[in-house]
Amino acid sequence: DTEVTQTPKHLVMGMTNKKSLKCEQHMGHRAMYWYKQKAKKPPELMFVYSYEKLSINESVPSRFSPECPNSSLLNLHLHALQPEDSALYLCASSQVRGTGKGYTFGSGTRLTVV
Amino acid sequence: GNSVTQMEGPVTLSEEAFLTINCTYTATGYPSLFWYVQYPGEGLQLLLKATKADDKGSNKGFEATYRKETTSFHLEKGSVQVSDSAVYFCALSGIQGAQKLVFGQGTRLTINP
């Protein structure tokens, strides 16, 4: 299995809602990432998990809360988002040692905040 | 810090034309270098990679060579097809543990029949 699976593919939520994005991989990768991509821009790193522990938080607002319940799953919990948080949210995974082998990305969740 | 500079787009070519997308980088040590492609409405797909100087990555007719002396990793294809229309991102990562993938700004490529 060489895929990263993200669900849902599309999500529309109100500013008072709570929702979660899910990411799953079965490649044995022990590093997982959340990126945010706005239209016509490159992805921007949000969080990195290494061996299921949060290792990098790129000063992301607390309305985004990541969780890594096990080595195959990564969640992003969303609460009280703003319209400017509308974007494509990408999950990725890689080996911890040997990132030169590449990062595998999921197809993303397109989030619209209304 | 690490950074990647890509040629600005958009780039429009006719089918069967030769493609070059320039990419240069700034990094400490010996980063790994990547080209990713993003088709409309989709996530990023790894196109090719190189992990050390003079390595040539290749896939689907695309090639790029890791040039340490010029800190470059230019993407080339000899004969493009309409199906190559997409956004191309040059990126680098360090080699010490799980790290941020640093992207260039992306180059939008359109191939006309």
Side-chain angles (χ1 to χ4, degrees), chain A residues 92-107:
Chain A
S93 70
S94 76
Q95 296 184 358
V96 173
R97 291 184 178 81
T99 50
K101 293 185 180 180
Y103 299 66
T104 303
F105 283 82
S107 56

Side-chain angles (χ1 to χ4, degrees), chain B residues 16-63:
Chain B
E16 300 183 1
F18 184 85
L19 169 70
T20 300
I21 301 178
N22 290 337
C23 171
T24 57
Y25 68 90
T26 302
T28 54
Y30 297 88
S32 296
L33 301 174
F34 309 92
W35 278 99
Y36 280 87
V37 58
Q38 187 171 34
Y39 297 101
E42 297 186 12
L44 275 71
Q45 298 177 24
L46 178 64
L47 182 59
L48 52 84
K49 59 181 170 65
T51 58
K52 61 183 187 296
D54 299 326
D55 265 3
K56 177 185 283 188
S58 61
N59 186 25
K60 300 181 181 180
F62 291 90
E63 293 183 340

Side-chain angles (χ1 to χ4, degrees), chain B residues 8-12 107-110:
Chain B
E8 292 190 17
V11 174
T12 302
T107 301
R108 182 172 300 275
L109 174 66
T110 301

Side-chain angles (χ1 to χ4, degrees), chain A residues 32-50:
Chain A
M32 297 186 76
Y33 310 78
W34 280 116
Y35 282 83
K36 172 183 177 180
Q37 187 180 25
K38 301 285 278 185
K40 299 186 179 182
K41 295 290 188 182
E44 298 176 354
L45 182 67
M46 300 175 72
F47 303 103
V48 180
Y49 275 82
S50 179

Side-chain angles (χ1 to χ4, degrees), chain B residues 13-18 79-84 110-113:
Chain B
L13 296 172
S14 298
E15 207 166 20
E16 300 183 1
F18 184 85
S79 177
V80 293
Q81 305 301 312
V82 172
S83 57
D84 294 327
T110 301
I111 307 300
N112 293 321

